[in-house]
């Protein structure tokens, strides 16, 4: 069973082993597990299980909670948690009596544990991330006809997470790791993955705390880069144990937008200072406030494609969530415009190029769009270009609000999306006026 070596070499390999299927009532059923390992950490894996001496009618599909390798592998263990079974069909094997072949469509995570020959002197932790270029060291390469490769790599950015007192809790480095595969004597392929590598951490931090630190950095990275960043795999080595955790290995979550479509919110040379300032504020937030920040960032960068109406509603809901977590309405029936104005007064932001007000009873505000879509209206009854503009303004408003709540003021404010609103301000005012006429409100000079 060579799964660990296959993982590190990042080769596509079919691996089989005897194991067990565990049910919710504690049963342990003998099975044979096959996994197809992807070329690299960002690829999709595949998993198939054959259960023997059991009729499928005797099992409920949702009763299987996890799979594990057989105990006869003393230095290695494998577990797969929370499977979603797509198909079950009868199979027959020469070695075993008839059974059922299960096709697995989703797994929460694979956990591979290996016992090392020599103990490590210090903990090692790294997280392989989804593909992006923001903040990574640039490595221009030169080649010659003999196959020699010359690379000049920039210094990797160091990212320090601070606690609520301003003390450093962990230090990470954003690296790019290359994986090489020799397919034959004349064909070599290489892939690169972003990796968040732990350099230093406070004493006593366990694997879950380190993994949470990595998730926090990815959340803040998604905001700064304007690009969704996922963790695909973590490797934690401590003592004589190496734990490799593959998250959602069968169907990798990926960003739904191009990375450079709107440019980054935070320039890459400010990334380290942004992570420090934002992480200090983050450490002092309540769990509900942290959840609201995550939901707002994920609403800006959703994991799946959305209609424009759904995107607008998700963005608006996330803005409401931020306001309610920080101040909330004074009473249950307080209308949105009242408590939102209190939120804006308490946490003011520089509106800059945001011409469209969230709450203004005298003109067509963003709250009007929210009510239209909530009652079943669609983008088709709006003038062309209006809803994309409203979405852009709502995104900027949420991003500026998040920066305000996280306690960070950008040194360089010339991001692409902001500059576009300034450049097209005259056209934007005309679009806003067209909606005012549609809604029966009086156009207002918003410039």
């Amino acid at each position: 069973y060579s799964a660990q070596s296959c993982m590190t070499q990042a080769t596509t390999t079919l691996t089989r082993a005897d194991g067990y299927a565990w049910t919710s009532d504690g049963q342990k059923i003998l099975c044979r597990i096959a996994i197809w390992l992807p070329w690299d950490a960002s690829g999709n894996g595949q998993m198939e299980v054959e259960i023997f001496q059991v009729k499928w009618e005797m099992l409920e599909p949702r009763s299987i909670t996890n799979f594990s390798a057989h105990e006869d592998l003393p230095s290695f263990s494998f577990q797969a948690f929370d499977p979603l079974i797509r198909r079950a069909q009868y199979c027959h094997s020469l070695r075993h009596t008839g059974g059922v072949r299960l096709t697995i469509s989703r797994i929460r995570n694979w956990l591979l544990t290996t016992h090392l020959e020599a103990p490590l002197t210090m903990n090692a932790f790294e997280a392989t991330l989804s593909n992006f270029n923001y903040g990574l060291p640039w490595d221009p390469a030169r080649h010659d006809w003999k196959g020699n490769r010359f690379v000049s790599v920039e210094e990797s950015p160091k990212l320090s997470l601070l606690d609520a007192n301003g003390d450093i809790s962990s230090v990470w480095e954003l690296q790019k790791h290359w994986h090489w595969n020799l397919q034959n004597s004349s064909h070599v392929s290489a892939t690169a993955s972003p990796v968040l590598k732990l350099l230093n951490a406070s004493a006593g931090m366990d694997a879950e705390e380190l993994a949470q630190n990595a998730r926090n950095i990815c959340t803040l990275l998604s905001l700064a880069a304007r690009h969704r960043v996922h963790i695909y795999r973590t490797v934690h080595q401590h003592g004589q144990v190496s734990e490799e955790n593959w998250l959602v290995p069968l169907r990798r979550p990926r960003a739904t937008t191009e990375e450079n479509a709107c440019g980054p919110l935070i320039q890459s040379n400010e990334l380290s200072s942004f992570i420090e300032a934002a992480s200090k504020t983050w450490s002092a937030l309540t769990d509900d406030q942290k959840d609201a920040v995550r939901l707002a960032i994920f609403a800006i960068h959703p994991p799946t494609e959305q209609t424009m109406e759904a995107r607008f509603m998700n963005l608006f809901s996330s803005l409401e969530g931020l306001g309610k977590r920080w101040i909330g309405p004074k009473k249950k029936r307080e209308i949105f415009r009242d408590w939102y104005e209190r939120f804006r007064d308490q946490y003011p932001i520089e509106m800059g190029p945001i011409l469209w007000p969230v709450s203004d009873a005298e003109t067509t505000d963003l709250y009007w769009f929210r009510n239209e879509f909530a009652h079943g209206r669609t983008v088709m009854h709006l003038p062309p270009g209006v809803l994309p503009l409203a979405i852009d303004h709502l995104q900027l408003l949420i991003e500026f609000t998040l920066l305000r709540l996280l306690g960070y003021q950008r040194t360089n404010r010339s991001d692409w999306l902001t500059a576009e609103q300034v450049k097209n301000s005259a056209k934007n005012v005309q679009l806003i006026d067209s909606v005012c006429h549609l809604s029966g409100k009086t156009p207002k000079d918003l410039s």
Side-chain angles (χ1 to χ4, degrees):
Y1 193 93
S2 57
Q4 179 67 18
S5 62
C6 292
M7 293 289 187
T8 55
Q9 293 174 10
T11 58
T12 301
T13 304
L14 169 62
T15 305
R16 290 188 175 95
D18 289 334
Y20 298 105
W22 297 81
T23 64
S24 55
D25 58 359
Q27 293 186 63
K28 185 171 70 169
I29 305 170
L30 184 66
C31 66
R32 191 163 184 79
I33 301 171
I35 59 173
W36 285 259
L37 308 176
W39 284 101
D40 56 68
S42 64
N44 291 327
Q46 188 176 343
M47 183 174 180
E48 198 173 81
V49 176
E50 295 178 359
I51 298 180
F52 303 108
Q53 300 178 343
V54 171
K55 292 184 178 180
W56 184 240
E57 293 78 8
M58 299 172 58
L59 288 173
E60 287 291 334
R62 297 183 182 275
S63 68
I64 297 179
T65 58
N66 66 291
F67 300 97
S68 65
H70 200 278
E71 296 96 336
D72 62 359
L73 303 171
S75 62
F76 177 82
S77 66
F78 168 82
Q79 292 176 288
F81 296 94
D82 292 343
L84 180 61
I85 299 171
R86 185 183 66 189
R87 182 175 59 194
Q89 62 183 133
Y90 177 79
C91 64
H92 179 72
S93 172
L94 295 177
R95 289 183 54 199
H96 303 274
T97 59
V100 177
R101 178 179 292 115
L102 307 180
T103 301
I104 314 298
S105 62
R106 188 182 183 279
I107 285 285
R108 187 189 70 192
N109 65 303
W110 284 340
L111 180 62
L112 301 92
T113 304
T114 305
H115 294 276
L116 307 175
E117 295 181 358
L120 298 174
T121 57
M122 60 178 294
N123 286 358
F125 190 98
E126 65 180 40
T128 303
L129 311 180
S130 56
N131 291 327
F132 66 94
N133 295 315
Y134 174 76
L136 289 172
W138 189 51
D139 51 358
R142 293 181 294 108
H143 310 267
D144 64 17
W145 62 275
K146 293 181 178 180
N148 298 315
R149 188 171 185 266
F150 308 93
V151 180
S152 176
V153 182
E154 295 178 347
E155 183 179 356
S156 300
K158 308 293 191 302
L159 307 178
S160 298
L161 290 182
L162 309 184
D163 59 24
N165 297 321
D167 298 324
I168 296 177
S169 61
S170 61
V171 181
W172 303 74
E173 187 172 61
L174 195 57
Q175 302 176 347
K176 182 185 288 186
H177 288 191
W178 286 89
H179 308 281
W180 298 85
N181 180 50
L182 181 62
Q183 296 181 357
N184 54 53
S185 60
S186 60
H187 190 180
V188 179
S189 63
T191 57
S193 300
V195 171
L196 195 60
K197 187 175 182 62
L198 178 69
L199 299 183
N200 190 21
S202 300
M205 293 187 72
D206 57 23
E208 179 52 38
E209 290 175 309
L210 293 173
Q212 185 59 59
N213 275 202
R215 289 193 290 268
N216 293 341
I217 290 180
C218 288
T219 298
L220 297 176
L221 264 177
S222 297
L223 175 63
R226 281 194 175 129
H227 188 69
R228 186 70 177 270
V229 178
H230 299 272
I231 295 180
Y232 284 163
R233 181 183 63 174
T234 63
V235 179
H236 182 215
Q237 296 179 330
H238 55 100
Q240 287 186 265
V241 177
S242 175
E243 295 176 331
E244 190 168 356
N245 192 16
W246 286 63
L247 306 175
V248 199
L250 307 187
R251 187 174 296 176
R252 294 302 201 184
R254 292 179 173 86
T256 56
T257 57
E258 294 292 333
E259 179 177 356
N260 296 321
C262 292
L265 175 65
I266 306 294
Q267 297 302 314
S268 58
N269 59 359
E270 290 187 54
L271 177 59
S272 296
S273 58
F274 166 69
I275 294 294
E276 286 188 15
S279 62
K280 178 181 177 182
T281 304
W282 176 274
S283 299
L285 299 181
T286 66
D287 289 341
D288 284 345
Q289 289 174 331
K290 291 177 181 178
D291 188 54
V293 171
R294 290 191 196 96
L295 292 177
I297 295 173
F298 298 161
I300 299 172
H301 309 290
T304 57
E305 297 286 349
Q306 297 177 329
T307 64
M308 285 193 290
E309 296 91 340
R311 175 163 169 74
F312 181 91
M313 292 297 286
N314 286 340
L315 287 170
F316 200 94
S317 296
S318 70
L319 181 62
E320 286 185 290
L322 290 172
K324 290 178 180 178
R325 295 305 194 283
W326 261 260
I327 62 165
K330 288 183 177 179
K331 52 187 178 181
K332 288 185 178 180
R333 296 185 177 274
E334 185 180 19
I335 64 174
F336 169 80
R337 287 190 174 97
D338 290 343
W339 70 257
Y340 182 79
E341 288 303 318
R342 290 192 293 107
F343 172 62
R344 182 56 57 229
D345 292 340
Q346 188 168 342
Y347 299 96
I349 63 172
E350 295 183 15
M351 298 298 287
I354 304 175
L355 306 179
W356 221 314
V358 175
S359 174
D360 188 339
E362 297 180 7
T363 189
T364 306
D365 52 18
L366 295 177
Y367 186 60
W368 177 84
F369 284 92
R370 181 262 180 203
N371 290 338
E372 289 288 291
F373 297 143
H375 289 88
R377 293 278 192 175
T378 67
V379 66
M380 299 303 294
H381 84 293
L382 298 174
V386 164
L387 186 53
L389 176 63
I391 289 174
D392 284 347
H393 285 195
L394 188 51
Q395 175 178 332
L396 284 171
L397 182 66
I398 294 172
E399 288 175 337
F400 295 167
T401 299
L402 287 170
L403 293 180
R404 173 68 175 82
L405 297 177
L406 291 173
Y408 186 75
Q409 186 171 358
R410 296 182 297 172
T411 302
N412 188 339
R413 303 183 184 183
S414 60
D415 67 272
W416 182 88
L417 187 57
T418 300
E420 281 296 296
Q421 307 313 310
V422 174
K423 184 173 68 174
N424 299 320
S425 58
K427 179 181 178 181
N428 292 349
V429 170
Q430 293 177 357
L431 287 174
I432 294 173
D433 285 349
S434 69
V435 183
C436 291
H437 290 295
L438 178 67
S439 63
K441 298 291 184 70
T442 303
K444 187 176 182 180
D445 182 11
L446 300 172
S447 58

